[in-house]
Amino acid sequence: QVQLVESGGGSVQAGGSLRLSCAASVSTYQHCMGWYRQAPGKEREGVAHIWARGGTTYYADSVKGRFTISQDNAKNTLYLQMNSLNPDDTAMYYCAAGIWVGYCAYNTWGQGTQVTVSS
């Protein structure tokens, strides 16, 4: 059974930075990976995605230029470096893994890590 465990969330002031980590029990190289977030009362939003074998990354417009997704395949760990955080980034952040079928068909989710940004 695939497991994803997120860490690195916390509370920061606007303008600060956080780095989220996601430890996977499967090969991050063989799977497409991504970060989603969900704020109270809002729909889940895809934040960033990476498909290492295809050499592709994708970012939501709301985080482009501020967030960077990366992975360490030797450690099977996914990262999300978040800079210039603002209160709109406050949400529960989830790591996801999936199978590439021309797009990433996500089939496994972590439990989430909370990010709170104060103004």
Side-chain angles (χ1 to χ4, degrees):
Q1 183 177 356
V2 178
Q3 289 188 322
L4 302 172
V5 180
E6 302 97 334
S7 61
S11 297
V12 296
Q13 290 190 327
S17 298
L18 284 174
R19 189 176 81 154
L20 305 183
S21 299
C22 171
S25 64
V26 294
S27 167
T28 51
Y29 183 73
Q30 298 293 336
H31 290 74
C32 45
M33 308 288 296
W35 289 96
Y36 282 77
R37 67 185 181 186
Q38 188 166 21
K42 294 187 177 180
E43 293 187 354
R44 186 178 62 188
E45 173 189 22
V47 175
H49 310 276
I50 185 168
W51 170 225
R53 292 182 64 184
T56 61
T57 57
Y58 166 83
Y59 296 93
D61 287 342
S62 58
V63 306
K64 203 171 293 183
R66 300 187 298 120
F67 291 10
T68 303
I69 189 171
S70 63
Q71 60 191 60
D72 184 335
N73 295 321
K75 297 180 179 180
N76 290 326
T77 301
L78 180 72
Y79 302 99
L80 185 68
Q81 178 66 45
M82 306 186 296
N83 299 327
S84 301
L85 286 161
N86 62 64
D88 289 339
D89 297 315
T90 295
M92 185 71 79
Y93 284 71
Y94 299 91
C95 172
I99 303 298
W100 187 260
V101 291
Y103 60 92
C104 191
Y106 288 108
N107 54 22
T108 303
W109 300 83
Q111 294 299 308
T113 186
Q114 177 68 38
V115 172
T116 303
V117 185
S118 58
S119 58

